Amino acid sequence: MSSENADAGREPEESSSVWDVVVVGAGPAGASAAYAAAVAGRRVLLLEKADIPRYKTCGGGIIGYSRDSLPPGFELPLKDRIHAVTFSLNGKLSRTRRSKRMLFGLINRPEFDAGLVEEAQKAGAELRTGASVSRVEQHGPAVPDRRTVAVVLADGETVLARAVVGADGSAGRIGAHVGVKLDQVDLGLEAEIPVPETVAEDWAGRVLIDWGPIPGSYGWVFPKGDTLTVGVIAARGDGAGTKRYLDDFIGRLGLAGFEPTISSGHLTRCRSEDSPLSRGRVVVCGDAAGLLEPWTREGISFALRSGRLAGEWAVRIAESHDAVDARRQALNYAFAIKAGLGVEMGVGRRMLQLFERRPGLLHAVLTGFRPAWNAFAGVTRGTTSLAELVRTHPLAQRAMSAMDRR
């Protein structure tokens, strides 16, 4: 749909003052939503409170589902291509598994996010940085009619839209407006550590995953040229223990003598199964909706996939002439999310429960049972998913059934 067709049938004054879709947050979810709506020929405004590029606490792993969800022709700014994974159990029983085919790629989030925003702009979306949203209103004096949403900025300006996509993170304003409910909160700590060339060569093409000492925790080393991204994640509530895990992890890797350029922390939040994904003409995606894989806490592919769906359904909501139709389209968006990403999250929750109880068993299976390694490789490449494995693999089905009986 061309932008000319998108404006057909609307008064010129209305067309210039009301955006079809306003997206709040320019991370992978928001940029994907803005791209999808702009490609459909809609007038799209992408709001971001920070300057771009900006740093985000994130390992930066790009699995197959992430690659498949990128705009056509998008060139990934890969820092490394991973063909091997070393697994360890709290620093012990290390074993490396290798693959002839690439398992996944590694990126730096500032470059990656900026590239996605550029694609959205090329598609026709307009970007405004330094725009912090204070609230969203769907009723009241700021809203001229029932087809309009008012996005009120921190400086008092009001932006009007036919549909709003919230992609402003798990602690953002839009998720609070929708009423997103969260049932799993984890603390991730990360350090960007520059290393000499000899150390970097030892890590090239290989990552480390360490199953940690805190139930449900793990650590990682992701090589990105002359820098190693080293991090750990665990359930929120024992910040001191999580920090000790990171310090011990860095120490036993022999990296304590290198000064990090960045040390950061971030809370990841998973949605409750009954959490809403919309309210009126407002939908949420990515971290703002609490969409990520509960076991690994992988969020980039969930952000890209949910963002694309949010952008596509926001176009339909924008075209709705009454509240009933807008509600119908929002429910269709929620159904699409729950039928795909929701199923994967359900399996991820069960995997996390198993991992919390029996990390040693999981480690033994991944390092000593080739079908389990092949399944892991398939998930990272995007040729399968956790949900598909449970549906189709008898051993996975038996493992899930055994866990459910406990």
Side-chain angles (χ1 to χ4, degrees), residues 184-206:
Q184 178 185 328
V185 183
D186 297 286
L187 172 63
L189 301 177
E190 195 168 74
E192 302 286 350
I193 305 177
V195 294
E197 184 178 352
T198 53
V199 176
E201 288 175 352
D202 289 340
W203 286 99
R206 176 176 65 95

Side-chain angles (χ1 to χ4, degrees), residues 255-331:
L255 300 174
F258 303 113
E259 186 69 23
T261 55
I262 298 175
S263 295
S264 62
H266 177 66
L267 292 176
T268 65
R269 298 174 171 91
C270 287
R271 67 188 294 273
S272 304
E273 290 189 55
D274 62 343
S275 178
L277 290 163
S278 67
R279 178 180 173 185
R281 291 177 174 267
V282 179
V283 299
V284 287
C285 59
D287 287 346
L291 292 168
L292 70 157
E293 200 279 289
W295 174 35
T296 63
R297 289 81 157 185
E298 191 277 323
I300 294 178
S301 75
F302 278 66
L304 293 170
R305 287 183 282 172
S306 65
R308 185 188 72 243
L309 289 171
E312 293 170 352
W313 287 106
V315 168
R316 295 172 172 85
I317 292 170
E319 294 169 345
S320 300
H321 290 282
D322 56 52
V324 173
D325 191 39
R327 177 62 175 162
R328 183 184 303 115
Q329 302 304 336
L331 288 174

Side-chain angles (χ1 to χ4, degrees), residues 51-134:
D51 291 329
I52 295 176
R54 74 279 192 270
Y55 181 79
K56 286 286 186 180
T57 303
C58 178
I62 300 295
I63 63 174
Y65 278 121
S66 296
R67 295 194 300 269
D68 294 343
S69 302
L70 295 169
F74 183 85
E75 292 191 16
L76 277 167
L78 291 181
K79 296 300 181 182
D80 205 342
R81 292 171 169 81
I82 301 306
H83 290 79
V85 180
T86 298
F87 296 99
S88 63
L89 185 62
N90 198 19
K92 303 173 183 176
L93 303 175
S94 295
R95 183 170 182 184
T96 299
R97 287 286 199 174
R98 301 186 183 277
S99 172
K100 292 181 180 179
R101 294 169 53 201
M102 186 179 84
L103 297 168
F104 58 95
L106 298 177
I107 52 92
N108 284 329
R109 280 289 301 276
E111 297 171 69
F112 178 68
D113 291 11
L116 289 174
V117 169
E118 185 177 346
E119 291 295 322
Q121 290 177 285
K122 289 178 182 177
E126 182 175 318
L127 171 69
R128 285 180 58 182
T129 58
S132 182
V133 172
S134 63

